[in-house]
Amino acid sequence: MAAKLVQDACWLTHYLLIAAYPAAATSGLCICRGVVFYSNDRKERRGNSVWWLFVFLALYATSAVLTWKNAFSIFPAAGSSLSTVAFWMKDPRQTKVISIFASLCTLTYNIAQAHSIAVYVGVAFTVTSALSSLLCECFKKDETR
């Protein structure tokens, strides 16, 4: 989870530098989310309440409204909302599927607004990783029959 916090800080810096403020706002909230969820990984369980899920979903929606530029401004908030839901899922397969949809939200925003090569690479890595993992699971299930 610590690596995820560093990654989110890098994305925040990146989006600020290219003036992609809707994505920067959600990246900042992702850092906050990471801090709350990090306590779950350390067995402190402060962030274990389901209320945190709703708090972050509301904050993402608020950030979309406050940084609204056009209809594509909703996509960073939608992607981060999906990622937050994925963090709460107990089934790794569901988490992977949701992460693909979250990445597609990021990709849509990037194509329409940000035009960042780094985002294309990140999305490609995430989607490829999730799809290959899902496909491996499918092939393993077929072999056990």
Side-chain angles (χ1 to χ4, degrees):
M1 189 59 89
K4 177 70 173 132
L5 288 171
V6 172
Q7 176 192 17
D8 288 336
C10 290
W11 282 122
L12 171 62
T13 304
H14 173 75
Y15 285 128
L16 286 172
L17 289 173
I18 64 172
Y21 300 116
T26 57
S27 294
L29 289 171
C30 288
I31 293 169
C32 297
R33 177 192 67 194
V35 169
V36 170
F37 288 178
Y38 183 69
S39 70
N40 284 347
D41 288 352
R42 298 186 67 206
K43 306 289 187 226
E44 295 168 13
R45 301 292 181 204
R46 287 182 295 208
N48 202 28
S49 170
V50 71
W51 289 106
W52 282 113
L53 174 64
F54 296 112
V55 166
F56 282 111
L57 293 178
L59 288 171
Y60 291 129
T62 302
S63 76
V65 170
L66 294 177
T67 61
W68 188 266
K69 182 177 177 181
N70 56 35
F72 291 104
S73 300
I74 196 82
F75 284 96
S80 293
S81 295
L82 287 170
S83 294
T84 301
V85 171
F87 280 127
W88 281 87
M89 304 301 286
K90 301 297 181 198
D91 180 4
R93 187 167 189 250
Q94 291 174 339
T95 299
K96 292 169 193 166
V97 170
I98 292 172
S99 73
I100 291 169
F101 287 105
S103 293
L104 293 177
C105 288
T106 302
L107 181 63
T108 302
Y109 177 77
N110 192 59
I111 290 169
Q113 299 294 140
H115 314 294
S116 168
I117 292 172
V119 174
Y120 291 127
V121 171
V123 168
F125 178 77
T126 301
V127 171
T128 302
S129 175
L131 282 175
S132 62
S133 178
L134 288 168
L135 287 173
C136 286
E137 289 176 22
C138 289
F139 287 125
K140 286 180 183 177
K141 287 181 182 176
D142 286 344
E143 291 173 2
T144 58
R145 288 183 187 172

